[in-house]
């Protein structure tokens, strides 16, 4: 609804260039005041209720008809203001009547002129306060600005373009919020083609979560215009969808496309070795489903994380299904690996399944104190496993060093 309101009253570009937020607040205030005035008028002048009802029916008809058509075209529709442009006439009449009612006769005309003049002045200011700053060429940065980059990264695209690094803000986003990725570009040599900059936010399995396509500089600084030595930054906004089922680590993919929308410039390092075009991370916080483990527990691992419970089941295809409930006790700088081993008589390890939480989709350095994380692991059973009593051994360790976190029971 908020998006429909904003795009109805003013959203420029391809829906990616809004006016200042205060304009929406002002419009909402005007609409609210006019609606209140309209209600007062209908109470005081019963004879006008029929006419107002006709306008209201026309208004809702203009709103519902295009919405119905949009819903027929797709299962999920993001409400866009352009769907309701046909409602502008009845809505304007109703708002004008409401505004007119609020003022006494001597000042009605003056108040209407003042409102119209204010709206006109604000509208006329947009080319200078909104359009020009948004579509101006990016300001060139001095070479020493490279030392201030949050995440240095020496990635080359073809022979002419260098990505010196990037900034991510904020480090954590929730469903419906926007993450800003600031890219620092340097021109190494002239580029003859105008390549399309593609920036994507990825799921852990590298599916696309959010995307943005543009010529650099919001379309005003295409790659063919770059001069060797130019160094500038550009911020790309990526909006996270509204439905995020669980938290994970999102990554960014940045590449240049040709006019056929296919990757055109292979990425490599300064020595010419190929590089992946995905990098960085942002915590995407989802709505975790409530998980009540079958068995409660309270084991603290190095006072960094606690195991609060688990459920154990059998899957005929996968073997054992172990679901864990973790709770972060303090910030963790390391990414710990979960070790699950099936141990039989005599201490013989029959099978082992080691993996980072959620298959690496949500590493422990992103967990926040007090956060509870569900984590499932499949433990395959060997075909020659004999009947008997077996024990599951569980732990956390640091893959690079092999360091295992000491385990402390609830009673110390």
């Amino acid at each position: 609804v908020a998006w429909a309101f904003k795009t109805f009253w003013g959203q420029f570009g391809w829906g990616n260039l809004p006016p200042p937020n205060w304009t929406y607040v002002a419009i909402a205030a005007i609409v609210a005041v006019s609606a209140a005035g309209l209600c007062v008028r209908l109470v005081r002048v019963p004879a006008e209720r029929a006419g107002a009802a006709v306008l209201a029916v026309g208004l809702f008809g203009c709103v519902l008809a295009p919405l119905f058509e949009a819903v027929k075209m797709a299962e999920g529709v993001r409400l866009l203001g352009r769907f309701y442009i046909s409602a502008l006439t009845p809505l304007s009449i109703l708002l004008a009547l409401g505004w007119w009612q609020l003022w006494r006769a001597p000042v009605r005309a003056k108040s209407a002129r003042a409102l119209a003049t204010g709206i006109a002045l604000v509208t006329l200011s947009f080319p200078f306060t909104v359009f020009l700053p948004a579509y101006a060429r990016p300001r060139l940065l001095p070479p020493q600005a490279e030392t201030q980059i949050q995440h240095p990264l020496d990635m080359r695209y073809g022979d002419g373009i260098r990505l010196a690094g990037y900034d991510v803000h904020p480090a954590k986003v929730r469903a419906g919020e926007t993450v800003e990725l600031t890219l620092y570009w340097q021109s190494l040599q002239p580029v003859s083609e105008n390549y399309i900059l593609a920036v994507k936010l990825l799921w852990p399995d590298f599916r696309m979560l959010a995307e943005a396509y543009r010529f650099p500089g919001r379309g005003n600084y295409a790659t063919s215009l770059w001069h060797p030595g130019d160094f500038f930054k550009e911020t790309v906004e990526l909006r996270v969808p509204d439905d995020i089922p669980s938290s994970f680590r999102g990554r960014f993919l940045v590449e240049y496309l040709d006019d056929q929308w296919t990757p055109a410039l292979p990425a490599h390092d300064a020595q010419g070795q190929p590089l992946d075009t995905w990098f960085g991370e942002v915590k995407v916080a989802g709505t975790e489903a409530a998980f009540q483990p079958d068995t409660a527990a309270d084991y603290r691992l190095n006072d960094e994380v606690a195991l609060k419970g688990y459920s154990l089941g059998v899957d005929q295809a996968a073997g054992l299904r172990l679901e864990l409930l973790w709770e972060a006790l303090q910030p963790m700088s390391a990414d710990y690996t979960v070790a699950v081993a099936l141990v039989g008589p005599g201490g013989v390890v029959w099978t082992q399944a080691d993996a980072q939480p959620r298959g690496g989709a949500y590493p422990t350095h992103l967990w926040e104190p007090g956060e509870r994380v569900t984590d499932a692991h499949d433990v395959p059973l060997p075909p020659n496993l004999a009947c008997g009593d077996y024990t599951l051994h569980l732990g956390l360790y640091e893959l690079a060093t092999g360091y295992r976190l000491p385990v402390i029971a609830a009673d110390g």
Side-chain angles (χ1 to χ4, degrees), residues 311-324 338-342 350-360 374-382 392-394:
S311 297
L312 181 63
V314 178
D315 186 290
Q316 295 298 329
L320 299 179
R321 179 75 170 179
L322 180 63
E323 295 181 272
L324 307 172
V338 181
V340 183
L342 183 67
W350 281 87
T351 185
Q352 186 164 345
D354 292 8
Q356 287 197 354
R358 295 181 179 172
T374 57
D375 178 30
H377 295 264
D378 292 324
V379 184
L381 297 178
L392 275 178
H393 287 207
L394 175 69

Side-chain angles (χ1 to χ4, degrees), residues 159-161 187 189-195 215 222-227 265:
D159 297 325
I161 299 175
S187 175
Q189 64 182 43
V191 177
S192 59
E193 301 294 330
N194 290 325
Y195 293 108
F215 289 116
T223 51
S224 65
L225 302 176
W226 297 11
H227 301 285
L265 298 177

Side-chain angles (χ1 to χ4, degrees), residues 147-380:
T147 62
Q148 305 300 317
I149 298 176
Q150 188 180 75
H151 302 285
L153 180 70
D154 189 5
M155 180 183 290
R156 315 294 175 92
Y157 291 84
D159 297 325
I161 299 175
R162 173 177 178 254
L163 178 58
Y166 63 95
D167 298 338
V168 179
H169 180 79
K172 169 187 172 182
V173 290
R174 299 185 182 276
E177 296 180 347
T178 297
V179 58
E180 296 181 349
L181 178 66
T182 300
L183 304 169
Y184 291 82
W185 297 109
Q186 182 181 30
S187 175
L188 301 178
Q189 64 182 43
V191 177
S192 59
E193 301 294 330
N194 290 325
Y195 293 108
I196 301 168
L197 174 62
V199 181
K200 301 178 183 180
L201 178 61
L202 304 177
W203 291 91
D205 60 2
F206 295 96
R207 289 180 294 122
M208 189 274 297
L209 179 66
E211 60 187 340
Y213 301 92
R214 63 172 66 166
F215 289 116
R218 287 187 177 268
N220 204 36
Y221 202 38
T223 51
S224 65
L225 302 176
W226 297 11
H227 301 285
D230 284 357
F231 182 47
F232 65 95
K233 66 179 181 179
E234 178 169 15
T235 299
V236 180
E237 297 180 348
L238 298 166
R239 183 183 182 276
V240 178
D242 295 326
D243 183 19
I244 300 297
S246 59
S247 300
F248 62 90
R249 172 174 59 183
R251 292 186 177 275
F252 301 99
L253 183 145
V254 176
E255 56 189 357
Y256 280 95
L257 313 179
D258 58 22
D259 57 3
Q260 301 300 313
W261 292 79
T262 57
L265 298 177
H268 58 86
D269 61 17
Q271 288 71 43
Q273 297 299 315
L275 293 175
D276 293 318
T277 53
W278 53 267
F279 54 82
E281 67 176 18
V282 61
K283 176 176 178 175
V284 182
T287 303
E288 298 285 346
F291 172 58
Q292 186 64 39
D294 296 335
T295 303
D298 190 9
Y299 294 100
R300 302 168 69 91
L301 291 83
N302 202 36
D303 283 333
E304 294 184 65
V305 62
L307 178 66
K308 306 303 290 184
Y310 64 91
S311 297
L312 181 63
V314 178
D315 186 290
Q316 295 298 329
L320 299 179
R321 179 75 170 179
L322 180 63
E323 295 181 272
L324 307 172
L325 179 61
W326 301 104
E327 181 179 342
L329 303 179
Q330 59 179 304
M332 291 174 277
S333 58
D335 289 333
Y336 294 117
T337 298
V338 181
V340 183
L342 183 67
V343 181
V348 177
V349 177
W350 281 87
T351 185
Q352 186 164 345
D354 292 8
Q356 287 197 354
R358 295 181 179 172
Y362 194 33
T364 54
H365 79 268
L366 293 177
W367 299 7
E368 300 175 52
E371 180 180 0
R372 291 198 167 191
V373 178
T374 57
D375 178 30
H377 295 264
D378 292 324
V379 184

